[in-house]
Amino acid sequence: MYKEWGCGEIGIDQEKNEITIAGWVDSWRDHGSLLFIDLRDSTGTVQVVFDKSKSNSNHQIASSFRAEWVVQIKGIVEKRIEGAENPNISTGYIEVHATEINVLNESKTPPFEVNSENIDETTRLRYRFLDLRSSRMQNNIRLRNDVILSICNFLNDKNFVHIETPILIKSTPEGARDYIVPSRVHPGEFYALPQSPQQIKQMLMTSGFEKYYQIAKCFRDEDLRADRQPEHTQLDFEMSFVHQEDVLANCEDLYHFLSKKYQSKDITYPFPRITYKEAIEKYGTDKPDTRFSLELKNLNDVLGGTEFRVFNNTLESGGSIKGISLKNSDSIKRSYIDELNNFVIEMGGGGVIPISLDNVEDISKLDIKDVKSPIAKFLSAENVIEIFSIFGASESDIIFISAGENDKVNECLGSLRNKLAKDLELIDENKINFLFVTNFPLFEFDKESGQWLAMHHVFSSPTKETEEFMDSDPSKVIGNLFDLVCNGVELGSGSIRIHNRKTQEKVFSIIGYSKSEVEDRFGPLLESFEYGAPPHGGMGLGIDRLVALFSNEESIRDVISFPKTQSASDLLWGAPSLIEEKQKKELNIKSINQEKDKN
Ligand code: ASP
């Protein structure tokens, strides 16, 4: 080995010992006859001293070191002189007095200082091999390793079996587009990369494994939103002979264990379960951030009977009037109310109407003249008192009201809720609030195509109580399906699956798959159902997002070794890229875009 110790491992215990270390030159300070180098390796940094009076030649060689050179150093560990200690690093009480040096490799001047902040992300991704040397990225990637190991240990202890499933599979799109791989051996035919191992893990239940898991790579060719990657890592697990609560409990125990291990924040436990309907009603979204309150309330009954035409029209066309109440109207400026109104309008909503009170001490004696609102003239004092009482609001609060089509109002107020919390710093950053959202509808109607779609995926089972509506009204069918949400972010989803052919075929027919399509894409799974498939269920949970949460990183790119950009490009390796004519020929591929090929 080139070294006996890691740079960050040396301490006062080694005082007076001669040691050999090796690593990268992080920084240096030239104090004339003394030259100080911080040497970095994967364990940390240590200060190395070159004293001209002891070895002129070593001092001279060390003077030529530049950032990121790779060097090996032999030296004696000495206590730092008083006043020169650095309590912020583990090696801060010692330094290595160099006796021998050996340059193992030089480095070009790097495009950025490895540990400096605010380097633009494009440059970081272009030079990822350097960026990964930073302590931030070293910590994140090591944390990721640790989290994955903890997941594996936890599940292995519960008799789950890690089973790798194929990466080259038949194309059976699950919702997004598949990534396609041409076959050379079968000209004109293609494999797909799995969007998740869904059908295969279900088949493993029929194969008798009962408890499966996998740290699985999932590939989805979709237009990338802010925090998506074309390939992501998922904890995929499946269990046989279980009810929904058993699957939730497994996830809850694991995530509670992980959070306690990797976070010092307050964690809700047990994780609350709320239904999809309740989530939408209270928070306007199925991914509520429950670290703050600001719950939405329905105001149809109070405001439906007023003279304000917009409200009446809304209710006549089946829409709703809802609101949010905020403490301390005095701190809310007119310009901020305009900003909120524009925010909602930009989302396609009808805007927000504020209602507040002007120096009212006792709301029960409210005079309508003291109500500040663009719709005050349409309201009675009783209306306003009732609105404030619905929210449990006090005289100094301000209420924002929005009306319109149900889904739009919920969407707008749900986003407004998040915006208010962020802008006004109402989020308790010391909390990790997990919750399960359950009872999702099994189907949603796609207005564009005029078709029913599976809300999550086609394999989730309907609840016993609502299965009968599959024929008459699919909108009423509730699925045994659920999401794990944390601080307003969806961390994963799962369901109790269908395990018989008849029900599965019924779901396919509702979403309009033809018999041949079903046979082609799902034939083997349906066939396996006919050979004693046990009742089963499971989940898929994003590991990138979880590690980002534990490492307090906003972006999942900061916890992935070689991530792609938002336009699915790898800036370091230059993928995707054109391939050689010869490769195309072998694969029986002809590109339509000949011009691009020629370039
Ligand atoms: N396969 C699903 C997904 O990737 C998760 C599951 O239902 O297990 O979203």
Side-chain angles (χ1 to χ4, degrees), residues 306-573:
T306 62
E307 299 288 300
F308 188 45
R309 266 228 334 268
V310 174
F311 288 164
N312 296 328
N313 293 346
T314 298
L315 294 188
E316 267 163 33
S317 54
S320 52
I321 312 163
K322 293 182 82 170
I324 286 182
S325 154
L326 193 70
K327 295 250 156 284
N328 297 328
S329 58
D330 288 350
S331 58
I332 305 296
K333 297 213 171 73
R334 179 72 240 171
S335 58
Y336 185 59
I337 295 177
D338 291 343
E339 184 184 323
L340 299 177
N341 190 43
N342 290 336
F343 175 80
V344 168
I345 289 171
E346 269 164 33
M347 286 188 71
V352 281
I353 301 164
I355 303 184
S356 58
L357 310 178
D358 205 5
N359 285 325
V360 173
E361 278 184 6
D362 180 357
I363 194 168
S364 64
K365 297 189 187 118
L366 182 70
D367 186 325
I368 195 66
K369 287 202 299 293
D370 297 327
V371 173
K372 284 200 293 185
S373 173
I375 57 163
K377 64 174 177 214
F378 300 107
L379 303 176
S380 65
E382 288 72 33
N383 290 149
V384 177
I385 293 171
E386 199 177 337
I387 293 169
F388 272 66
S389 97
I390 286 173
F391 284 100
S394 76
E395 286 79 1
S396 61
D397 296 354
I398 178 165
I399 290 169
F400 293 103
I401 296 172
S402 195
E405 194 243 321
N406 293 327
D407 289 351
K408 201 34 111 193
V409 169
N410 285 323
E411 186 194 337
C412 290
L413 287 182
S415 300
L416 187 78
R417 180 178 173 269
N418 287 337
K419 178 176 167 57
L420 288 169
K422 202 167 163 212
D423 290 352
L424 307 174
E425 297 180 1
L426 305 175
I427 302 173
D428 184 347
E429 298 289 350
N430 210 30
K431 275 187 178 164
I432 297 199
N433 277 15
F434 287 107
L435 83 156
F436 287 118
V437 181
T438 65
N439 294 54
F440 278 83
L442 198 57
F443 303 102
E444 62 186 335
F445 192 69
D446 180 38
K447 286 186 197 137
E448 240 169 69
S449 62
Q451 278 204 318
W452 289 102
L453 303 175
M455 187 106 169
H456 273 190
H457 57 54
V458 291
F459 309 105
S460 303
S461 61
T463 62
K464 266 210 180 68
E465 301 75 38
T466 61
E467 189 169 355
E468 59 174 300
F469 297 114
M470 295 243 268
D471 283 314
S472 56
D473 184 357
S475 72
K476 291 200 179 129
V477 183
I478 301 295
N480 291 309
L481 76 94
F482 39 81
D483 276 357
L484 174 67
V485 174
C486 178
N487 294 355
V489 177
E490 182 196 316
L491 289 186
S493 65
S495 59
I496 295 297
R497 324 297 185 186
I498 296 167
H499 66 282
N500 68 69
R501 181 167 197 132
K502 206 165 139 245
T503 316
Q504 189 66 73
E505 281 179 340
K506 177 99 240 163
V507 167
F508 289 143
S509 78
I510 291 171
I511 52 184
Y513 288 168
S514 70
K515 271 213 155 63
S516 62
E517 242 175 322
V518 167
E519 211 34 57
D520 183 49
R521 286 160 63 174
F522 310 103
L525 184 69
L526 287 171
E527 186 183 30
S528 75
F529 284 175
E530 294 175 304
Y531 289 87
H536 60 281
M539 294 188 80
L541 296 138
I543 288 190
D544 306 311
R545 183 45 42 225
L546 183 70
V547 179
L549 179 78
F550 289 158
S551 53
N552 294 318
E553 291 288 1
E554 290 262 313
S555 162
I556 59 170
R557 291 188 293 278
D558 287 322
V559 297
I560 298 174
S561 54
F562 294 94
K564 303 205 172 31
T565 61
Q566 218 165 310
S567 54
S569 302
D570 181 324
L571 297 183
L572 173 56
W573 298 99

Side-chain angles (χ1 to χ4, degrees), residues 118-134:
N118 307 323
I119 313 159
D120 113 274
E121 197 184 16
T122 309
T123 314
R124 286 177 59 203
L125 292 179
R126 164 67 186 81
Y127 293 94
R128 191 62 155 181
F129 51 90
L130 287 177
D131 184 44
L132 286 171
R133 280 187 202 160
S134 67

Side-chain angles (χ1 to χ4, degrees), residues 163-428:
I163 304 177
E164 289 160 84
T165 54
I167 292 293
L168 294 178
I169 62 166
K170 184 182 167 73
S171 177
T172 58
E174 263 181 50
R177 251 172 252 113
D178 276 342
Y179 275 101
I180 297 296
V181 182
S183 162
R184 180 185 57 80
V185 182
H186 302 279
E189 295 183 7
F190 299 85
Y191 300 100
L193 306 181
Q195 293 188 26
S196 89
Q198 185 65 32
Q199 290 199 59
I200 311 177
K201 71 170 167 175
Q202 286 193 239
M203 201 174 271
L204 285 169
M205 295 301 101
T206 305
S207 303
F209 280 97
E210 297 197 26
K211 285 177 169 184
Y212 141 95
Y213 81 101
Q214 184 178 189
I215 305 297
K217 276 276 190 185
C218 302
F219 306 86
R220 294 178 193 177
D221 186 3
E222 51 195 349
D223 294 329
L224 301 178
R225 280 186 258 137
D227 212 15
R228 290 271 175 93
Q229 285 282 304
E231 52 180 304
H232 72 271
T233 308
Q234 179 167 303
L235 163 62
D236 199 47
F237 77 81
E238 199 73 9
M239 305 162 81
S240 292
F241 305 108
V242 286
H243 299 295
Q244 176 166 306
E245 193 46 45
D246 302 309
V247 178
L248 296 185
N250 186 54
C251 171
E252 179 175 50
D253 288 350
L254 172 62
Y255 275 59
H256 182 237
F257 160 77
L258 294 172
S259 305
K260 281 201 94 72
K261 185 160 179 189
Y262 296 108
Q263 286 283 312
S264 52
K265 298 185 178 179
D266 289 341
I267 304 152
T268 48
Y269 186 79
F271 304 169
R273 280 102 167 119
I274 72 166
T275 64
Y276 170 81
K277 191 161 174 265
E278 197 184 343
I280 298 288
E281 270 167 14
K282 274 193 182 164
Y283 306 106
T285 170
D286 57 5
K287 310 181 229 321
D289 190 339
T290 55
R291 289 173 298 171
F292 54 93
S293 170
L294 293 184
E295 282 180 17
L296 279 53
K297 302 275 183 197
N298 190 301
L299 302 171
N300 286 358
D301 288 347
V302 207
L303 291 171
T306 62
E307 299 288 300
F308 188 45
R309 266 228 334 268
V310 174
F311 288 164
N312 296 328
N313 293 346
T314 298
L315 294 188
E316 267 163 33
S317 54
S320 52
I321 312 163
K322 293 182 82 170
I324 286 182
S325 154
L326 193 70
K327 295 250 156 284
N328 297 328
S329 58
D330 288 350
S331 58
I332 305 296
K333 297 213 171 73
R334 179 72 240 171
S335 58
Y336 185 59
I337 295 177
D338 291 343
E339 184 184 323
L340 299 177
N341 190 43
N342 290 336
F343 175 80
V344 168
I345 289 171
E346 269 164 33
M347 286 188 71
V352 281
I353 301 164
I355 303 184
S356 58
L357 310 178
D358 205 5
N359 285 325
V360 173
E361 278 184 6
D362 180 357
I363 194 168
S364 64
K365 297 189 187 118
L366 182 70
D367 186 325
I368 195 66
K369 287 202 299 293
D370 297 327
V371 173
K372 284 200 293 185
S373 173
I375 57 163
K377 64 174 177 214
F378 300 107
L379 303 176
S380 65
E382 288 72 33
N383 290 149
V384 177
I385 293 171
E386 199 177 337
I387 293 169
F388 272 66
S389 97
I390 286 173
F391 284 100
S394 76
E395 286 79 1
S396 61
D397 296 354
I398 178 165
I399 290 169
F400 293 103
I401 296 172
S402 195
E405 194 243 321
N406 293 327
D407 289 351
K408 201 34 111 193
V409 169
N410 285 323
E411 186 194 337
C412 290
L413 287 182
S415 300
L416 187 78
R417 180 178 173 269
N418 287 337
K419 178 176 167 57
L420 288 169
K422 202 167 163 212
D423 290 352
L424 307 174
E425 297 180 1
L426 305 175
I427 302 173
D428 184 347

